[in-house]
Amino acid sequence: MKHYIKGGKRPKNNLNKQLPKPMTIFVNKVLPVILLLVAGFYFIPYASMNFQNNDVDHINKNNEAVMFYSSTCSHCQKVYPKIFWHNVLNLKNAGKQIQTINVQNPNNKHYIREFAVQETPTFMKPNNPDMKLVSTDVKQINNFAETGASDQ
């Protein structure tokens, strides 16, 4: 038997308090995280395409290939997200990276003359600037990056 001290607070019965329903938890907690991840998956490459690679000071000879692109080119917009995620997946392996250079930016215009870039996207082997590929086909790009062969 419990004895209560006069003037002391009695514990309240918490039976009236309801637990949140599983659907409420999902909608309020889980769904926003999923939406942010999905939105990030689609929008991060496009943000990178427009705001990164604007002042590239040199061609990295350790990279597997170089991609010259223009952020307003529809073909480049098609292939850039694939290259972006390829680079993210190979972040710790410079030999598998594809360096991206936005030739639309005034700081990078000299690459157009230097490497005779006539179309975008143009892929080039960093150790052999004469080996080039103009394509949006991911299989062709992967084959070119790995072997230097272009199946055009």
Side-chain angles (χ1 to χ4, degrees):
M1 184 166 155
K2 293 183 183 178
H3 294 280
Y4 294 102
I5 301 173
K6 189 175 183 182
K9 292 186 178 180
R10 290 186 163 200
K12 292 186 177 180
N13 190 352
N14 287 334
L15 293 178
N16 293 337
K17 191 175 185 182
Q18 290 184 345
L19 294 173
K21 295 178 181 166
M23 190 59 157
T24 305
I25 292 172
F26 178 79
V27 169
N28 290 336
K29 306 277 185 191
V30 177
L31 190 60
V33 171
I34 291 171
L35 290 174
L36 282 172
L37 290 173
V38 169
F41 178 79
Y42 286 106
F43 294 116
I44 287 174
Y46 294 106
S48 168
M49 182 179 197
N50 288 297
F51 300 113
Q52 276 189 315
N53 318 314
N54 288 329
D55 191 8
V56 178
D57 58 353
H58 70 284
I59 300 289
N60 189 341
K61 301 281 186 188
N62 296 328
N63 287 359
E64 189 171 51
V66 178
M67 173 188 172
F68 297 102
Y69 74 94
S70 172
S71 56
T72 58
C73 165
S74 63
H75 300 291
C76 299
Q77 291 170 356
K78 176 183 173 187
V79 76
Y80 187 89
K82 293 169 180 76
I83 302 304
F84 176 86
W85 290 113
H86 167 84
N87 286 343
V88 168
L89 292 174
N90 294 294
L91 193 60
K92 299 212 183 236
N93 188 355
K96 289 284 194 182
Q97 293 278 314
I98 297 175
Q99 184 177 10
T100 54
I101 299 175
N102 184 0
V103 294
Q104 181 183 7
N105 188 284
N107 297 324
N108 297 330
K109 292 261 187 214
H110 63 93
Y111 290 113
I112 296 171
R113 288 184 309 281
E114 191 175 333
F115 295 107
V117 175
Q118 296 178 359
E119 300 174 78
T120 56
T122 295
F123 294 86
M124 178 188 83
K125 295 299 273 185
N127 294 320
N128 188 352
D130 294 328
M131 295 180 77
K132 292 182 184 162
L133 171 72
V134 177
S135 179
T136 57
D137 184 280
V138 175
K139 288 181 184 175
Q140 277 187 338
I141 294 166
N142 287 339
N143 186 39
F144 175 78
E146 291 172 8
T147 66
S150 60
D151 303 335
Q152 287 188 333

